[in-house]
Amino acid sequence: MFAIALLMVSARGSAQVVQQTKQGLKFSAQKLDIQIEFYSNNIIRIFKTPAGIPYTKKSLSVVKTAQPTVVTFSKKGKNSLVKSSEVQVEVNPETGGIIFYDSSGNLLLKDKDYGTQFSLVEDAGTNLYKVRNGFLLDKKEAIYGIGQVLDNKFNRRNSSHHMQNENMSTYSPYFQSIKGYAVFWDNYSISEFKDNPQELSFEGLGHCSDYYFMYGKHADGVISQVRDLTGKAPMLPLWAYGFFQSKERYHTQDESLSVLKKYRELKVPLDVVIQDWRYWPEYNKSDSAWNSQLFDAERFPDPKKWVNEIHQLNAKLLIVTWPGFGPKTEQRKEFDSKKMIINFDTWPPNSGARPYDVFNPEALDIYWRYLNKGIFSYIGNDGWWLDSTEPDHINIKKTDFNLPTYLGSYGSVKNAYSLMHNKGIATHQRAVNDNKRGVILTRSGFIGQQRYGSNTWSGDVGSTWDMLEKQIPAALNYTLMGIPNWNSDIGGFFAGRWKDGGGNKNPEFQELYVRWMQFGTFSPMMRSHGTDLPREIWNFGDRGTWCFDAQEKFINLRYKLLPYIYSTSWDVSHNDGTFMRPLMMDFAKDAKTHEIGNEYLFGRSILVAPVTKYKAKTWPVYLPEGSNWYNFWTNEYLQGGQVAITETPIDIVPLFVKSGSIIPFGPKVQYSTEKRWDNLEIRVYPGTDGEFVLYEDENDNYNYEKGKYSTITFKWDDRLKTLHIQAREGNFSGMLTTRKFNINVINPNQKLKDKHVNPTKEISYNGKKIELKF
């Protein structure tokens, strides 16, 4: 189909042949067969196998196929060079070394000379390889990613990680560089990541070394390439950005209903209640019917009525399901009969529960068939809590990792377990009901999982101040892998340490819970959950006490920000944006931001610096150079490039707004869709030009994918002090045709000491362009 040119070069006294293919190169070196293929101008696949042993790889993560890409070929001394419009790749046919440059010839990354090794091993009775690939980075080059690692570090240089997905540890073999590129080593085995002054390396089990080099020029560009390669992130429904309440566990349908009713009586906003484990019949204490996906007739006598009542109270229900099944369940019997069980002990202990083989497509079908019949199509729940998606592994035996799965030994595919389990639920649900957006809360993840609308939480973390502190850089590194949805148990899961000191009324635990809730307010999902102590707001005191009032303040703030958050969700889905943005994403030129993992932008405008110490009266906040900043609470105007010492009484978390920002604020509500957005405050923060796109749609279906949505673009011209509200674009069923905007241009010269510093202009808007001079 196309000409193959043969380039002959001398290497160690023998002829080395580099073949030009349509979009790359093929050559052999160091007993390896190596293929380089441009998937686009920015994405290059490097595929290596032992010489003469071809292997066809079908990726679990990658959905992109190579697109027609114009490349050119040339020589660079003894080496061969292939270029697209964005990236140049140089190969050394003698050593197997590969060097990546940008289009201007600036060095990005080196795949080491002699840096790839294959060592033959026996794995589950078959031949496999221990595969290792080494890279060379600049000495001071900061990198991020690797996964959710609870070690309180942000920059991943000079670190080592045993990449084995377990409760509280979620890894993917991926790193992103401050230089604007990323590497995804497409391997699902239990692996090793090491970075030291000599090299960075990945090592794991496989038939090949298969990685993708992605160049985006900056962090946003990298994430765009990751999503192009492994899948876009769909929008979640509006209600998924409200407040979630759960605990381990609500024992009856009446208990969870009473919780929802009390929130409504107190007029504290709430959108979602979650039903945790053991709603199924418990035949005996051994949990032999674990995860039967059926409701206990005594405790849940009418589950359809239960869900209907939740919906009548304008709330939603997430319900838990696990990947393991007790021996007395019908699911387990069918999986056993078809050899679709991975035969190791999973949670709960001594129950005989075993996980199913998620790597078998038929097993995914069977799992959904029971789940749909027993729950989804039966009661009409609104989403899923997929617990233990690593999955839990107890009474571990070394031989467990050699157990067979549909795709090979368990150890060779383990880290993709959550990816495949989430895939099974998400794709089957959409096939059954295309009018309800999928919402999945899951305890693990892997690159590619973003395409299923999954929101990973950090696992069963302890209720401590140091664990709260560790959540922030862990979340930021996780989202830098291109997976935008992340959250944590507000207050931490295990709170037993506080029981003897007064429990929910212990002042330190109350303060920890409030500070964690402030962090949760500015996370993609705001969810209260835990064991040992109940977490519903009234358990901390009555309205009028500091702990109740501080919680209520931030729950209300979350709902006021819903227009901003939902528009950010559109930015995430449509523009490959990111909810939790480390400072290095927007201020890479400020070298100080390269190491800061305890602050971030929530969306593109609001800088958040969670308080993570007990009795902190003030908190240092670094304001990046490249912008000026407004204190959200006082409107004080500060220059970037400095540390601001910020007062932090218990009901204040440091928040700063980037100059040039435009932020919409919604009405006070009890749930996300209680009131229409027909009277929004539009707050403008001068200092530089700015733009914001207000997004609206039908809130909970996939019609937005068919173009059923609207956008209104606000542009601030700082020199002319003029706000341009552009003509509305698009439409959808039930769209507002007229509305009010209350425009509030913040005065940068005065602190907010009285209500008249920043008077608003109220305008009517009917979809046509408006220009406002200030």
Side-chain angles (χ1 to χ4, degrees):
M1 298 295 290
F2 52 86
I4 297 179
L6 302 182
L7 303 178
M8 308 300 293
V9 298
S10 174
R12 292 192 172 182
S14 62
Q16 299 288 328
V17 178
V18 178
Q19 298 180 342
Q20 295 179 10
T21 64
K22 188 176 182 181
Q23 294 185 185
L25 300 170
K26 289 183 180 181
F27 66 104
S28 296
Q30 300 302 312
K31 298 181 180 180
L32 301 176
D33 290 334
I34 303 172
Q35 301 177 49
I36 298 171
E37 183 177 19
F38 277 74
Y39 267 45
S40 69
N41 285 313
N42 299 76
I43 300 174
I44 304 99
R45 183 187 188 186
I46 312 297
F47 188 76
K48 306 177 186 179
T49 55
I53 305 177
Y55 179 69
T56 300
K57 166 80 172 290
K58 184 176 181 181
S59 179
L60 302 180
S61 291
V62 174
V63 295
K64 186 180 180 65
T65 56
Q67 303 299 301
T69 306
V70 175
V71 297
T72 60
F73 302 90
S74 60
K75 294 293 296 299
K76 187 176 180 181
K78 68 178 182 178
N79 294 346
S80 295
L81 201 64
V82 56
K83 303 179 183 180
S84 71
S85 61
E86 298 293 336
V87 181
Q88 306 179 45
V89 182
E90 178 183 348
V91 302
N92 185 323
E94 177 185 345
T95 65
I98 303 170
I99 308 175
F100 300 90
Y101 305 90
D102 66 16
S103 59
S104 300
N106 297 307
L107 175 65
L108 297 173
L109 175 68
K110 292 182 179 180
D111 182 337
K112 281 183 67 176
D113 293 335
Y114 316 109
T116 304
Q117 293 93 37
F118 284 79
S119 303
L120 190 64
V121 295
E122 183 181 332
D123 182 69
T126 63
N127 288 333
L128 201 61
Y129 296 94
K130 181 176 285 187
V131 186
R132 185 177 179 281
N133 209 116
F135 302 90
L136 294 177
L137 282 66
D138 289 346
K139 187 175 181 180
K140 295 183 179 181
E141 180 180 349
I143 61 168
Y144 313 96
I146 307 302
Q148 173 201 276
V149 188
L150 296 173
D151 62 359
N152 210 24
K153 295 179 181 178
F154 182 47
N155 182 354
R156 289 281 136 215
R157 290 309 300 270
N158 300 305
S159 66
S160 298
H161 304 283
H162 179 66
M163 293 194 294
Q164 179 173 327
N165 285 351
E166 301 292 352
N167 186 359
M168 299 184 288
S169 298
T170 301
Y171 295 100
S172 289
Y174 162 99
F175 68 90
Q176 177 184 153
S177 168
I178 195 67
K179 293 165 72 173
Y181 72 84
V183 170
F184 170 47
W185 196 57
D186 193 11
N187 184 291
Y188 324 114
S189 71
I190 298 169
S191 305
E192 302 297 330
F193 167 85
K194 294 181 181 178
D195 180 67
N196 55 45
Q198 286 72 47
E199 67 171 5
L200 179 153
S201 65
F202 291 112
E203 183 177 285
L205 295 173
H207 295 276
C208 57
S209 174
D210 185 14
Y211 73 86
Y212 295 82
F213 177 90
M214 296 165 281
Y215 182 54
K217 300 183 180 179
H218 45 69
D220 274 308
V222 167
I223 287 174
S224 182
Q225 300 305 320
V226 173
R227 302 230 186 106
D228 183 33
L229 182 70
T230 65
K232 301 289 187 178
M235 289 196 70
L236 301 185
L238 177 61
W239 58 262
Y241 300 107
F243 181 52
F244 289 56
Q245 181 65 64
S246 69
K247 73 171 185 178
E248 188 278 304
R249 60 184 159 131
Y250 296 128
H251 291 77
T252 68
Q253 66 183 60
D254 288 339
E255 183 183 4
S256 57
L257 269 172
S258 67
V259 166
L260 175 56
K261 289 176 181 177
K262 188 154 187 177
Y263 270 97
R264 293 289 181 254
E265 291 169 6
L266 288 169
K267 298 190 182 305
V268 174
L270 181 69
D271 259 273
V272 184
V273 290
I274 305 179
Q275 180 58 51
D276 203 344
W277 63 7
R278 290 177 169 147
Y279 53 83
W280 46 79
E282 296 175 290
Y283 298 128
N284 54 48
K285 293 183 180 179
S286 71
D287 278 314
S288 59
W290 179 265
N291 195 36
S292 65
Q293 298 165 343
L294 299 171
F295 292 94
D296 181 82
E298 291 186 11
R299 295 179 293 113
F300 293 84
D302 195 342
K304 287 185 178 180
K305 181 182 177 185
W306 172 49
V307 177
N308 286 339
E309 288 186 275
I310 289 172
H311 290 166
Q312 288 165 9
L313 288 165
N314 298 296
K316 308 295 182 182
L317 173 70
L318 262 61
I319 195 160
V320 81
T321 183
W322 291 61
F325 294 95
K328 287 190 176 181
T329 61
E330 292 303 312
Q331 295 93 324
R332 172 67 176 279
K333 293 172 185 176
E334 182 169 355
F335 282 135
D336 274 334
S337 71
K338 296 180 177 179
K339 300 187 182 341
M340 296 177 181
I341 284 291
I342 309 176
N343 196 28
F344 64 78
D345 292 337
T346 190
W347 187 270
N350 306 314
S351 67
R354 303 282 188 274
Y356 80 115
D357 184 359
V358 298
F359 305 102
N360 188 321
E362 185 183 353
L364 296 180
D365 295 341
I366 293 170
Y367 190 99
W368 174 257
R369 171 161 42 87
Y370 285 100
L371 191 63
N372 184 45
K373 180 180 178 182
I375 301 179
F376 186 65
S377 289
Y378 175 47
I379 65 170
N381 59 303
D382 303 284
W384 305 102
W385 182 358
L386 304 186
D387 208 340
S388 184
T389 50
E390 308 86 16
D392 276 307
H393 193 166
I394 58 179
N395 304 319
I396 298 175
K397 299 185 286 291
K398 207 169 185 180
T399 54
D400 288 350
F401 298 105
N402 290 325
L403 291 169
T405 75
Y406 184 80
L407 292 181
S409 71
Y410 177 58
S412 70
V413 292
K414 172 184 168 50
N415 284 349
Y417 195 99
S418 180
L419 171 68
M420 301 308 291
H421 186 45
N422 278 255
K423 173 185 176 180
I425 306 299
T427 57
H428 280 98
Q429 176 177 314
R430 180 149 188 188
V432 168
N433 187 344
D434 196 40
N435 291 317
K436 183 191 289 285
R437 293 183 202 167
V439 176
I440 293 177
L441 173 64
T442 183
R443 201 174 71 181
S444 191
F446 197 82
I447 283 181
Q449 196 164 292
Q450 72 278 356
R451 62 182 181 259
Y452 303 124
S454 304
N455 194 312
T456 301
W457 95 94
S458 57
D460 299 339
V461 299
S463 298
T464 64
W465 287 98
D466 68 310
M467 187 54 75
L468 169 58
E469 186 176 35
K470 290 174 180 177
Q471 302 300 299
I472 307 165
L476 300 183
N477 272 309
Y478 188 73
T479 59
L480 282 172
M481 299 197 305
I483 309 175
N485 295 312
W486 181 94
N487 73 108
S488 63
D489 293 345
I490 290 176
F493 182 69
F494 289 111
R497 71 189 71 238
W498 304 103
K499 275 188 170 182
D500 293 337
N504 294 78
K505 302 300 172 63
N506 179 300
E508 185 175 355
F509 176 65
Q510 289 185 326
E511 185 169 329
L512 172 64
Y513 186 80
V514 168
R515 293 304 191 190
W516 210 312
M517 177 165 279
Q518 291 167 351
F519 172 52
T521 302
F522 296 94
S523 297
M525 180 182 285
M526 185 183 186
R527 183 182 58 88
S528 170
H529 180 71
T531 192
D532 300 314
L533 297 173
R535 308 301 170 89
E536 297 83 10
I537 188 171
W538 53 87
N539 291 295
F540 294 86
D542 297 325
R543 182 176 276 119
T545 59
W546 66 266
C547 190
F548 184 107
D549 291 353
Q551 290 181 58
E552 185 177 27
K553 175 179 179 177
F554 280 91
I555 295 172
N556 278 319
L557 178 58
R558 174 75 173 199
Y559 280 83
K560 291 280 286 183
L561 285 169
L562 279 181
Y564 174 78
I565 294 170
Y566 199 54
S567 297
T568 299
S569 177
W570 169 246
D571 181 50
V572 167
S573 180
H574 188 66
N575 302 315
D576 296 320
T578 301
F579 277 109
M580 302 178 75
R581 302 174 60 82
L583 300 186
M584 46 71 62
M585 288 190 74
D586 296 278
F587 303 97
K589 292 181 179 180
D590 183 347
K592 292 180 181 177
T593 68
H594 300 180
E595 304 294 331
I596 295 176
N598 62 348
E599 302 175 19
Y600 59 97
L601 292 183
F602 185 64
R604 298 184 184 269
S605 298
I606 302 174
L607 189 154
V608 186
V611 176
T612 58
K613 302 293 183 186
Y614 183 42
K615 291 185 176 180
K617 302 301 182 186
T618 61
W619 198 253
V621 182
Y622 181 69
L623 302 176
E625 190 174 355
S627 176
N628 291 334
W629 301 88
Y630 291 81
N631 184 313
F632 175 82
W633 304 105
T634 67
N635 287 344
E636 182 182 6
Y637 190 59
L638 299 168
Q639 288 189 335
Q642 65 169 314
V643 174
I645 304 301
T646 307
E647 293 183 2
T648 53
I650 190 60
D651 66 340
I652 294 292
V653 63
L655 301 176
F656 289 84
V657 180
K658 185 170 60 174
S659 63
S661 294
I662 302 169
I663 300 178
F665 290 82
K668 185 176 181 180
V669 293
Q670 301 304 298
Y671 54 91
S672 58
T673 57
E674 181 187 13
K675 297 175 184 176
R676 307 195 73 185
W677 295 347
D678 56 357
N679 193 356
L680 298 182
E681 178 190 358
I682 307 298
R683 206 174 291 180
V684 180
Y685 292 84
T688 187
D689 293 346
E691 180 176 321
F692 183 83
V693 178
L694 177 67
Y695 172 87
E696 295 168 288
D697 65 13
E698 296 168 15
N699 296 330
D700 190 6
N701 57 42
Y702 289 99
N703 286 343
Y704 74 92
E705 294 181 349
K706 304 170 186 175
K708 300 295 183 182
Y709 62 87
S710 75
T711 57
I712 302 172
T713 301
F714 297 79
K715 291 187 176 182
W716 173 253
D717 185 319
D718 198 63
R719 184 179 67 84
L720 298 177
K721 299 295 181 285
T722 301
L723 181 66
H724 301 272
I725 306 177
Q726 308 286 50
R728 181 178 54 232
E729 296 184 2
N731 62 81
F732 58 91
S733 177
M735 180 183 72
L736 290 167
T737 56
T738 60
R739 68 204 308 165
K740 291 180 181 178
F741 289 133
N742 293 284
I743 312 299
N744 183 356
V745 178
I746 304 302
N747 188 333
N749 299 314
Q750 293 177 276
K751 294 184 179 181
L752 189 63
K753 294 181 179 179
D754 63 73
K755 295 181 180 179
H756 304 291
V757 169
N758 298 297
T760 63
K761 282 187 180 182
E762 182 181 288
I763 65 165
S764 295
Y765 178 78
N766 63 5
K768 295 182 180 180
K769 184 175 181 179
I770 295 178
E771 185 177 293
L772 299 169
K773 180 77 174 176
F774 288 83

